[in-house]
Amino acid sequence: MSDSATLIFRRQKALLRTLYWVFKPFALFTRRLDWVVGPEDVALMATHIAEALPNSYTAVHLRNPFYRVRYDAVIQRPSTLLGGRLATARRLYGGPILLAWLLNRTRGFIYVGGQGFLAGHHDEREFEFGFIRRHGRRIVCYFTGNDIRSPRLSTERALATGRPNLGSIIATVDPVFASDAYDDARRVRAEVAERHADTVFNAREDQLSYLQGRTHPFRYFQPDEEFAGPTDRFDAIERIVVIHAPSNPLLKGTDRVREVMRRIVAEHPHVDYRELTGVPHTEVLAALDEAHIALNEFYSSMPGVFGVEAMARRCVLVTSARSADEPDLGPEADEAWVHADVDTLHDVVSRLVRQPESLGAQSERGWQWAKHHASASASRRAIADLLGGNSAREGR
C-alpha cells in the first residue's frame, strides 16, 4: 500500500479504538440490535438478509444504484450534497465511526461481500474482525462470488473439466485477475474469515475458494411478496417472449446468448427476444411478468439472483446451474430449471419454443423450488438455528 493509504488506515484504527469507548455510555440508551448487515449490498443480499432476520440493521458504504431500497445507515454520500471535503472525510472515516457506534449496540455482524467498514485491504479485515471478536461480538461471513472465488483454482478446474466457469472467464478479462496478488488476496481473505467468523456461507463449488473448513450453503432471500400468483400466461401462447437481463454480459455468456437468439428468432418467427441491461430493478421485474422463458447465465453452477427472480415470477429458467457441479443445491434443483451451457443453448431453447405446451408445467416446478428453497421465509427458517442463538462458534 502507498504511504497515504497506510496513514489513513492507521487513523481509522485509532478512531475505532477511541470512539468505541466514547460511544459506550451513550449506547446504553439506544435500541439494542441482533445483527448489523453490510457493508455491501450485492444484488440486494444485505437487504434481503436483514429483512429475513428480526431486529437487524443495514449499514452500507454506498447505495445499490439499481434498487430503490432504504438502509438504516449509508456511509458515503455524493460530494454535491455534502461538499467535497466533507464527502471525502465521510468516505475515509465514516466507516470506523459507524462501526464504533454499532459495535456497542449489536451482538453480531453479518458481512456480505469482501469489504470491511475500515479500508484495511492489505490485511483483508484481520484487524477489524479481531477487534470485533475481542469485544465479544459474533461475525458471520456471507460470500457472494468474486469476493472469495479464486481465479487460479477455477482455471485449474476449467482445464480439468474442459468447461469454462466464472472464475476462469474472469482470469481472461484483465491481467489483474490472473495475477498472483489478486489470488493471494483471496487466500488471505479466506484465512481471516476462518480464523474469526462464527459462521461462513459460501457456494463451495461455484465460488471455489481457499476456504478449508466447513461452510454453510449460500442461500437466496427472495422476498415472499415478489412470488407471483397463478398465471394464464402459458395458455394458448401466440408469441413466446424470451428475456435476458445480464448484470455483466461477459460473465453471463451474453455474446453467445445473442448469437443463439438471432438464430432462434429467424427460425421461429413467433419468438420475441428482449434484452435488458443497466435498467432499474422494477423494470426487470415488469419484463419478467410478461416473459415465458428467462435466459440466465451460462458459466455458473448456481441459478443466481436473476434466476431466482425469474422462477418467482413464473418464468421457465434456462441456465448452466446443476447439482452435479454444485451439490449444495440438492438433486431436486435439476427439475426446477432447464439446464444448458453455451454449446447446447441453441438446441435447448429450440426445443422449448417448439413445445410451448410444456412451458407452464416447467414454470410451476421452478416456482415451487424457489418458494421452498430460495424465498425469504424458507431461508429464514434454514438459518434460524445457525444465527438465532448465542451458541459457540460454528463452521469449523
Side-chain angles (χ1 to χ4, degrees), residues 237 240 270 349-360:
I237 302 174
I240 297 177
H270 66 294
V349 177
S350 294
R351 173 171 55 81
L352 290 174
V353 300
R354 287 197 305 265
Q355 300 173 352
E357 67 281 358
S358 68
L359 299 180

Side-chain angles (χ1 to χ4, degrees), residues 39-363:
E40 296 180 83
D41 197 15
V42 182
L44 278 194
M45 287 302 299
T47 295
H48 292 335
I49 291 172
E51 290 173 346
L53 297 172
N55 202 30
S56 293
Y57 184 99
T58 51
V60 298
H61 281 289
L62 290 166
R63 295 185 181 278
N64 191 312
F66 298 108
Y67 302 91
R68 293 183 177 179
V69 296
R70 297 184 63 181
Y71 302 105
D72 294 299
V74 179
I75 297 169
Q76 298 180 38
R77 299 294 175 92
S79 58
T80 53
L81 294 179
L82 296 175
R85 290 185 178 180
L86 182 57
T88 299
R90 186 164 179 151
R91 174 174 57 84
L92 296 179
Y93 302 112
I97 294 171
L98 181 60
L99 179 58
W101 174 244
L102 294 174
L103 189 54
N104 280 290
R105 298 178 56 197
T106 186
R107 70 184 182 92
F109 292 83
I110 300 176
Y111 279 80
V112 177
Q115 287 192 39
F117 287 91
L118 280 63
H121 295 302
H122 71 293
D123 74 348
E124 295 298 336
R125 305 184 290 198
E126 173 67 41
F127 169 81
E128 185 169 330
F129 282 6
F131 190 86
I132 291 171
R133 293 297 305 181
R134 284 194 297 275
H135 290 283
R137 305 301 188 263
R138 300 176 66 190
I139 295 174
V140 172
C141 287
Y142 208 102
F143 292 112
T144 62
N146 291 331
D147 48 17
I148 196 66
R149 183 184 288 115
S150 162
R152 179 178 299 157
L153 297 179
S154 300
T155 299
E156 291 173 0
R157 170 169 292 173
L159 292 173
T161 62
R163 290 187 289 119
N165 55 57
L166 286 175
S168 68
I169 295 294
I170 290 169
T172 68
V173 173
D174 188 308
V176 170
F177 300 125
S179 68
D180 291 341
Y182 184 90
D183 204 71
D184 287 344
R186 270 58 193 167
R187 184 194 303 274
V188 174
R189 187 172 295 172
E191 293 171 351
V192 170
E194 295 198 304
R195 189 155 48 243
H196 295 289
D198 301 271
T199 308
V200 176
F201 289 88
N202 185 48
R204 52 181 170 165
E205 301 299 330
D206 187 70
Q207 297 169 188
L208 188 61
S209 71
Y210 290 104
L211 292 166
Q212 298 295 317
R214 182 188 178 194
T215 61
H216 297 277
F218 177 96
R219 301 196 65 90
Y220 300 95
F221 290 81
Q222 182 68 13
D224 290 79
E225 63 272 15
E226 292 188 6
F227 279 78
T231 179
D232 59 1
R233 196 187 321 165
F234 297 96
D235 298 342
I237 302 174
E238 295 184 2
R239 301 195 64 79
I240 297 177
V241 177
V242 182
I243 186 175
H244 180 54
S247 55
N248 185 318
L250 178 64
L251 300 184
K252 307 302 181 184
T254 299
D255 284 350
R256 188 63 65 89
V257 169
R258 290 170 180 165
E259 175 188 335
V260 165
M261 289 312 302
R262 279 195 294 267
R263 293 175 57 192
I264 295 290
V265 170
E267 296 164 354
H268 304 277
H270 66 294
V271 174
D272 288 338
Y273 173 62
R274 302 174 186 176
E275 185 176 306
L276 301 176
T277 55
V279 302
H281 183 236
T282 53
E283 189 172 332
V284 174
L285 293 181
L288 286 172
D289 287 337
E290 298 178 355
H292 301 94
I293 299 171
L295 306 182
N296 187 26
E297 50 188 310
F298 298 96
Y299 299 118
S300 175
S301 303
M302 296 283 285
V305 171
F306 174 71
V308 172
E309 289 176 336
M311 289 185 286
R313 309 305 272 206
R314 294 187 179 272
C315 291
V316 172
L317 177 64
V318 181
T319 186
S320 57
R322 59 179 180 176
S323 64
D325 293 335
E326 183 52 78
D328 283 345
L329 287 172
E332 65 274 14
D334 293 326
E335 299 298 320
W337 51 77
V338 181
H339 177 266
D341 56 33
V342 291
D343 295 326
T344 62
L345 183 58
H346 176 269
D347 292 343
V348 169
V349 177
S350 294
R351 173 171 55 81
L352 290 174
V353 300
R354 287 197 305 265
Q355 300 173 352
E357 67 281 358
S358 68
L359 299 180
Q362 180 61 53
S363 74

Side-chain angles (χ1 to χ4, degrees), residues 360-372:
Q362 180 61 53
S363 74
E364 178 65 21
R365 288 192 291 271
W367 188 93
Q368 290 289 346
W369 184 89
K371 185 67 174 176
H372 290 102

